[in-house]
């Protein structure tokens, strides 16, 4: 499946979702050094925002399932998004992981939003987790799940700003 991240960003924006880009795509768009096959987003877990997330997912014809045998269209009730800290869906634009909690982030969504990087790609606006918060997320993961190349890149980027 080809990844159309602009389609995902546009659908989230059009639905009025408060979201932040995280993961490999965020590193790629900020540093140009990392490629990924999916889009990872962190969303405000307020009731109204989860309703907007669900609306965007339905517009993107997203499918999800708690098991492989119960895979199908996302439910109408947005509370399913709170079943786990991250839900992985397949959309018409590619694979999308939706986080309602991030490891290493213990502050409010608003605090993280206020520090986020604002960008535009092909006329589509997005906000991405800043380097310090991305590094905190990576370091909070169990060691086997940490992406060492990403950690090194983020550490170099942060060190270069201090000089």
């Amino acid at each position: 499946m080809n990844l159309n991240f602009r389609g995902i960003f546009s659908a989230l924006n059009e639905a009025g979702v408060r979201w932040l880009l995280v993961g490999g795509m965020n590193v790629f768009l900020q540093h140009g050094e990392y490629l990924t096959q999916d889009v990872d987003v962190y969303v405000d877990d307020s009731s109204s925002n989860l309703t907007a997330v669900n609306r965007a997912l339905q517009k993107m014809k997203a499918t999800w399932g708690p098991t492989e045998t119960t895979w199908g269209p996302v439910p109408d009730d947005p509370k399913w998004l709170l079943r786990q800290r991250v839900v992985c869906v397949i959309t018409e634009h590619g694979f999308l992981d939706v986080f309602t909690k991030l490891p290493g982030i213990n502050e409010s969504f608003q605090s993280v939003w206020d520090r986020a990087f604002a960008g535009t790609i092909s006329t589509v606006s997005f906000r991405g987790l800043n380097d310090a918060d991305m590094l905190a997320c990576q370091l909070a993961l169990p060691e086997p799940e940490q992406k060492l190349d990403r950690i090194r890149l983020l550490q170099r980027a942060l060190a270069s700003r201090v000089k």
Side-chain angles (χ1 to χ4, degrees):
M1 172 175 281
N2 290 329
L3 179 62
N4 174 1
F5 64 90
R6 288 175 202 89
I8 292 172
F9 293 6
S10 293
L12 293 169
N13 290 342
E14 289 167 12
V17 175
R18 283 179 38 94
W19 64 281
L20 292 170
L21 185 63
V22 300
M25 182 64 64
N26 190 38
V27 174
F28 175 73
L29 291 177
Q30 288 191 50
H31 300 286
E33 292 189 33
Y34 199 87
L35 211 46
T36 185
Q37 299 298 315
D38 68 352
V39 171
D40 301 314
V41 298
Y42 171 44
V43 300
D44 179 357
D45 65 359
S46 68
S47 177
S48 61
N49 197 58
L50 291 177
T51 297
V53 171
N54 208 52
R55 189 171 49 249
L57 292 174
Q58 289 177 328
K59 183 176 180 184
M60 290 186 279
K61 299 177 179 66
T63 58
W64 171 85
T67 69
E68 290 180 20
T69 59
T70 57
W71 202 269
V74 298
D76 289 328
D77 184 350
K79 290 179 185 161
W80 72 274
L81 289 159
L82 296 173
R83 290 180 68 144
Q84 52 210 53
R85 73 175 178 87
V86 59
V87 294
C88 306
V89 299
I90 301 171
T91 76
E92 65 185 355
H93 302 296
F95 299 105
L96 173 63
D97 297 338
V98 179
F99 289 81
T100 53
K101 303 277 185 262
L102 287 176
I105 301 294
N106 300 315
E107 302 165 76
S108 70
F109 181 89
Q110 184 63 51
S111 295
V112 178
W113 173 272
D114 291 342
R115 293 191 301 267
F117 164 79
T120 303
I121 185 149
S122 301
T123 71
V124 180
S125 298
F126 70 95
R127 291 180 73 84
L129 207 62
N130 72 23
D131 288 345
D133 287 335
M134 286 195 308
L135 181 59
C137 289
Q138 277 297 311
L139 295 175
L141 292 170
E143 207 168 298
E145 295 177 33
Q146 293 178 357
K147 294 184 171 70
L148 297 179
D149 56 337
R150 193 177 297 179
I151 290 171
R152 284 191 217 78
L153 181 143
L154 293 167
Q155 289 171 329
R156 279 193 313 270
L158 290 167
S160 72
R161 291 186 193 130
V162 173
K163 295 178 181 179

mmCIF file of all heavy atoms in Angstrom, residues 58-83:
data_model
loop_
_atom_site.group_PDB
_atom_site.id
_atom_site.type_symbol
_atom_site.label_atom_id
_atom_site.label_comp_id
_atom_site.label_asym_id
_atom_site.label_seq_id
_atom_site.Cartn_x
_atom_site.Cartn_y
_atom_site.Cartn_z
ATOM 1 N N GLN A 58 -13.334 7.779 9.640
ATOM 2 C CA GLN A 58 -14.424 7.272 8.814
ATOM 3 C C GLN A 58 -14.374 7.856 7.413
ATOM 4 O O GLN A 58 -14.601 7.151 6.432
ATOM 5 C CB GLN A 58 -15.769 7.536 9.493
ATOM 6 C CG GLN A 58 -15.968 6.654 10.716
ATOM 7 C CD GLN A 58 -17.248 6.920 11.463
ATOM 8 O OE1 GLN A 58 -17.737 8.045 11.515
ATOM 9 N NE2 GLN A 58 -17.792 5.875 12.075
ATOM 10 N N LYS A 59 -14.026 9.138 7.304
ATOM 11 C CA LYS A 59 -13.902 9.760 5.986
ATOM 12 C C LYS A 59 -12.786 9.095 5.174
ATOM 13 O O LYS A 59 -12.885 8.968 3.950
ATOM 14 C CB LYS A 59 -13.633 11.256 6.131
ATOM 15 C CG LYS A 59 -13.557 11.962 4.803
ATOM 16 C CD LYS A 59 -13.379 13.453 4.946
ATOM 17 C CE LYS A 59 -13.314 14.064 3.555
ATOM 18 N NZ LYS A 59 -13.045 15.468 3.585
ATOM 19 N N MET A 60 -11.724 8.658 5.867
ATOM 20 C CA MET A 60 -10.598 7.990 5.196
ATOM 21 C C MET A 60 -10.855 6.492 4.998
ATOM 22 O O MET A 60 -9.950 5.760 4.624
ATOM 23 C CB MET A 60 -9.307 8.186 6.001
ATOM 24 C CG MET A 60 -8.780 9.588 5.975
ATOM 25 S SD MET A 60 -7.150 9.714 6.787
ATOM 26 C CE MET A 60 -7.619 9.806 8.526
ATOM 27 N N LYS A 61 -12.075 6.048 5.294
ATOM 28 C CA LYS A 61 -12.454 4.641 5.159
ATOM 29 C C LYS A 61 -11.529 3.730 5.961
ATOM 30 O O LYS A 61 -11.117 2.658 5.517
ATOM 31 C CB LYS A 61 -12.480 4.223 3.690
ATOM 32 C CG LYS A 61 -13.476 5.006 2.860
ATOM 33 C CD LYS A 61 -13.405 4.612 1.397
ATOM 34 C CE LYS A 61 -14.392 5.331 0.545
ATOM 35 N NZ LYS A 61 -14.204 6.755 0.396
ATOM 36 N N ALA A 62 -11.207 4.176 7.188
ATOM 37 C CA ALA A 62 -10.292 3.421 8.048
ATOM 38 C C ALA A 62 -10.926 2.122 8.527
ATOM 39 O O ALA A 62 -12.127 2.059 8.793
ATOM 40 C CB ALA A 62 -9.886 4.268 9.243
ATOM 41 N N THR A 63 -10.075 1.116 8.622
ATOM 42 C CA THR A 63 -10.483 -0.162 9.193
ATOM 43 C C THR A 63 -9.598 -0.466 10.389
ATOM 44 O O THR A 63 -8.438 -0.054 10.457
ATOM 45 C CB THR A 63 -10.389 -1.303 8.168
ATOM 46 O OG1 THR A 63 -9.045 -1.399 7.678
ATOM 47 C CG2 THR A 63 -11.348 -1.074 7.007
ATOM 48 N N TRP A 64 -10.179 -1.207 11.335
ATOM 49 C CA TRP A 64 -9.504 -1.532 12.584
ATOM 50 C C TRP A 64 -10.149 -2.774 13.161
ATOM 51 O O TRP A 64 -11.302 -3.083 12.851
ATOM 52 C CB TRP A 64 -9.647 -0.367 13.562
ATOM 53 C CG TRP A 64 -9.171 -0.667 14.942
ATOM 54 C CD1 TRP A 64 -7.884 -0.570 15.398
ATOM 55 C CD2 TRP A 64 -9.945 -1.100 16.057
ATOM 56 N NE1 TRP A 64 -7.825 -0.916 16.715
ATOM 57 C CE2 TRP A 64 -9.093 -1.254 17.147
ATOM 58 C CE3 TRP A 64 -11.307 -1.395 16.231
ATOM 59 C CZ2 TRP A 64 -9.514 -1.672 18.404
ATOM 60 C CZ3 TRP A 64 -11.729 -1.811 17.476
ATOM 61 C CH2 TRP A 64 -10.842 -1.942 18.547
ATOM 62 N N GLY A 65 -9.431 -3.438 14.029
ATOM 63 C CA GLY A 65 -10.018 -4.560 14.737
ATOM 64 C C GLY A 65 -9.207 -4.928 15.948
ATOM 65 O O GLY A 65 -7.980 -4.845 15.920
ATOM 66 N N PRO A 66 -9.895 -5.320 17.018
ATOM 67 C CA PRO A 66 -9.168 -5.770 18.205
ATOM 68 C C PRO A 66 -8.415 -7.076 17.941
ATOM 69 O O PRO A 66 -7.443 -7.379 18.613
ATOM 70 C CB PRO A 66 -10.247 -5.934 19.266
ATOM 71 C CG PRO A 66 -11.533 -5.996 18.526
ATOM 72 C CD PRO A 66 -11.337 -5.314 17.216
ATOM 73 N N THR A 67 -8.868 -7.820 16.931
ATOM 74 C CA THR A 67 -8.167 -9.038 16.504
ATOM 75 C C THR A 67 -8.226 -9.098 14.975
ATOM 76 O O THR A 67 -9.024 -8.401 14.350
ATOM 77 C CB THR A 67 -8.838 -10.315 17.066
ATOM 78 O OG1 THR A 67 -10.111 -10.478 16.432
ATOM 79 C CG2 THR A 67 -9.014 -10.254 18.575
ATOM 80 N N GLU A 68 -7.415 -9.929 14.410
ATOM 81 C CA GLU A 68 -7.408 -10.074 12.953
ATOM 82 C C GLU A 68 -8.736 -10.596 12.415
ATOM 83 O O GLU A 68 -9.131 -10.277 11.298
ATOM 84 C CB GLU A 68 -6.270 -10.992 12.525
ATOM 85 C CG GLU A 68 -4.904 -10.374 12.715
ATOM 86 C CD GLU A 68 -3.791 -11.298 12.294
ATOM 87 O OE1 GLU A 68 -4.031 -12.244 11.524
ATOM 88 O OE2 GLU A 68 -2.657 -11.055 12.748
ATOM 89 N N THR A 69 -9.435 -11.388 13.213
ATOM 90 C CA THR A 69 -10.699 -11.962 12.745
ATOM 91 C C THR A 69 -11.885 -11.010 12.919
ATOM 92 O O THR A 69 -12.958 -11.273 12.390
ATOM 93 C CB THR A 69 -11.010 -13.293 13.474
ATOM 94 O OG1 THR A 69 -11.073 -13.029 14.879
ATOM 95 C CG2 THR A 69 -9.949 -14.338 13.181
ATOM 96 N N THR A 70 -11.694 -9.918 13.657
ATOM 97 C CA THR A 70 -12.793 -8.973 13.855
ATOM 98 C C THR A 70 -12.470 -7.621 13.220
ATOM 99 O O THR A 70 -12.953 -6.591 13.656
ATOM 100 C CB THR A 70 -13.092 -8.786 15.359
ATOM 101 O OG1 THR A 70 -11.899 -8.354 16.015
ATOM 102 C CG2 THR A 70 -13.600 -10.064 15.985
ATOM 103 N N TRP A 71 -11.663 -7.636 12.166
ATOM 104 C CA TRP A 71 -11.259 -6.413 11.475
ATOM 105 C C TRP A 71 -12.412 -5.885 10.636
ATOM 106 O O TRP A 71 -13.112 -6.658 9.989
ATOM 107 C CB TRP A 71 -10.060 -6.729 10.579
ATOM 108 C CG TRP A 71 -9.246 -5.527 10.228
ATOM 109 C CD1 TRP A 71 -9.415 -4.732 9.137
ATOM 110 C CD2 TRP A 71 -8.158 -4.978 10.950
ATOM 111 N NE1 TRP A 71 -8.494 -3.719 9.140
ATOM 112 C CE2 TRP A 71 -7.696 -3.848 10.257
ATOM 113 C CE3 TRP A 71 -7.519 -5.318 12.139
ATOM 114 C CZ2 TRP A 71 -6.632 -3.069 10.680
ATOM 115 C CZ3 TRP A 71 -6.459 -4.538 12.565
ATOM 116 C CH2 TRP A 71 -6.030 -3.434 11.839
ATOM 117 N N GLY A 72 -12.627 -4.572 10.654
ATOM 118 C CA GLY A 72 -13.677 -3.976 9.843
ATOM 119 C C GLY A 72 -13.659 -2.468 9.973
ATOM 120 O O GLY A 72 -12.725 -1.892 10.541
ATOM 121 N N PRO A 73 -14.675 -1.798 9.454
ATOM 122 C CA PRO A 73 -14.743 -0.334 9.553
ATOM 123 C C PRO A 73 -14.669 0.118 11.018
ATOM 124 O O PRO A 73 -15.143 -0.582 11.919
ATOM 125 C CB PRO A 73 -16.110 0.010 8.956
ATOM 126 C CG PRO A 73 -16.456 -1.155 8.094
ATOM 127 C CD PRO A 73 -15.838 -2.361 8.760
ATOM 128 N N VAL A 74 -14.068 1.296 11.243
ATOM 129 C CA VAL A 74 -13.978 1.793 12.616
ATOM 130 C C VAL A 74 -15.381 1.993 13.171
ATOM 131 O O VAL A 74 -16.301 2.346 12.432
ATOM 132 C CB VAL A 74 -13.149 3.095 12.709
ATOM 133 C CG1 VAL A 74 -11.718 2.866 12.260
ATOM 134 C CG2 VAL A 74 -13.776 4.229 11.942
ATOM 135 N N PRO A 75 -15.563 1.763 14.481
ATOM 136 C CA PRO A 75 -16.886 1.922 15.096
ATOM 137 C C PRO A 75 -17.377 3.364 15.042
ATOM 138 O O PRO A 75 -16.598 4.304 14.880
ATOM 139 C CB PRO A 75 -16.652 1.495 16.547
ATOM 140 C CG PRO A 75 -15.386 0.710 16.539
ATOM 141 C CD PRO A 75 -14.563 1.259 15.424
ATOM 142 N N ASP A 76 -18.691 3.543 15.216
ATOM 143 C CA ASP A 76 -19.278 4.881 15.240
ATOM 144 C C ASP A 76 -18.973 5.609 16.550
ATOM 145 O O ASP A 76 -18.819 6.822 16.566
ATOM 146 C CB ASP A 76 -20.791 4.816 15.036
ATOM 147 C CG ASP A 76 -21.153 4.425 13.605
ATOM 148 O OD1 ASP A 76 -20.398 4.785 12.681
ATOM 149 O OD2 ASP A 76 -22.192 3.766 13.421
ATOM 150 N N ASP A 77 -18.894 4.886 17.647
ATOM 151 C CA ASP A 77 -18.634 5.482 18.953
ATOM 152 C C ASP A 77 -17.125 5.688 19.113
ATOM 153 O O ASP A 77 -16.361 4.726 19.127
ATOM 154 C CB ASP A 77 -19.157 4.560 20.056
ATOM 155 C CG ASP A 77 -19.002 5.148 21.445
ATOM 156 O OD1 ASP A 77 -18.321 6.182 21.601
ATOM 157 O OD2 ASP A 77 -19.554 4.564 22.385
ATOM 158 N N PRO A 78 -16.667 6.936 19.255
ATOM 159 C CA PRO A 78 -15.226 7.207 19.311
ATOM 160 C C PRO A 78 -14.516 6.671 20.558
ATOM 161 O O PRO A 78 -13.289 6.708 20.629
ATOM 162 C CB PRO A 78 -15.149 8.737 19.257
ATOM 163 C CG PRO A 78 -16.465 9.218 19.713
ATOM 164 C CD PRO A 78 -17.463 8.161 19.313
ATOM 165 N N LYS A 79 -15.257 6.138 21.528
ATOM 166 C CA LYS A 79 -14.617 5.612 22.743
ATOM 167 C C LYS A 79 -13.682 4.442 22.446
ATOM 168 O O LYS A 79 -12.795 4.142 23.232
ATOM 169 C CB LYS A 79 -15.678 5.203 23.766
ATOM 170 C CG LYS A 79 -16.399 6.386 24.356
ATOM 171 C CD LYS A 79 -17.457 5.948 25.341
ATOM 172 C CE LYS A 79 -18.233 7.166 25.803
ATOM 173 N NZ LYS A 79 -19.501 6.826 26.389
ATOM 174 N N TRP A 80 -13.845 3.799 21.294
ATOM 175 C CA TRP A 80 -12.957 2.692 20.940
ATOM 176 C C TRP A 80 -11.509 3.169 20.859
ATOM 177 O O TRP A 80 -10.588 2.391 21.068
ATOM 178 C CB TRP A 80 -13.383 2.036 19.617
ATOM 179 C CG TRP A 80 -13.112 2.870 18.407
ATOM 180 C CD1 TRP A 80 -13.915 3.833 17.867
ATOM 181 C CD2 TRP A 80 -11.944 2.825 17.588
ATOM 182 N NE1 TRP A 80 -13.321 4.390 16.767
ATOM 183 C CE2 TRP A 80 -12.111 3.791 16.571
ATOM 184 C CE3 TRP A 80 -10.776 2.070 17.610
ATOM 185 C CZ2 TRP A 80 -11.153 4.017 15.587
ATOM 186 C CZ3 TRP A 80 -9.824 2.294 16.629
ATOM 187 C CH2 TRP A 80 -10.014 3.259 15.633
ATOM 188 N N LEU A 81 -11.308 4.466 20.585
ATOM 189 C CA LEU A 81 -9.959 5.012 20.468
ATOM 190 C C LEU A 81 -9.200 4.987 21.794
ATOM 191 O O LEU A 81 -7.981 5.116 21.814
ATOM 192 C CB LEU A 81 -10.016 6.451 19.936
ATOM 193 C CG LEU A 81 -10.402 6.575 18.468
ATOM 194 C CD1 LEU A 81 -10.920 7.973 18.150
ATOM 195 C CD2 LEU A 81 -9.225 6.205 17.586
ATOM 196 N N LEU A 82 -9.911 4.818 22.903
ATOM 197 C CA LEU A 82 -9.280 4.793 24.223
ATOM 198 C C LEU A 82 -8.998 3.377 24.727
ATOM 199 O O LEU A 82 -8.540 3.215 25.853
ATOM 200 C CB LEU A 82 -10.166 5.545 25.228
ATOM 201 C CG LEU A 82 -10.350 7.032 24.948
ATOM 202 C CD1 LEU A 82 -11.380 7.636 25.891
ATOM 203 C CD2 LEU A 82 -9.018 7.763 25.044
ATOM 204 N N ARG A 83 -9.225 2.377 23.894
ATOM 205 C CA ARG A 83 -9.012 0.985 24.318
ATOM 206 C C ARG A 83 -7.559 0.689 24.650
ATOM 207 O O ARG A 83 -7.264 -0.178 25.445
ATOM 208 C CB ARG A 83 -9.480 0.015 23.236
ATOM 209 C CG ARG A 83 -10.978 -0.019 23.076
ATOM 210 C CD ARG A 83 -11.362 -0.979 22.019
ATOM 211 N NE ARG A 83 -11.060 -2.342 22.451
ATOM 212 C CZ ARG A 83 -11.782 -3.397 22.167
ATOM 213 N NH1 ARG A 83 -12.858 -3.254 21.443
ATOM 214 N NH2 ARG A 83 -11.446 -4.585 22.588
#
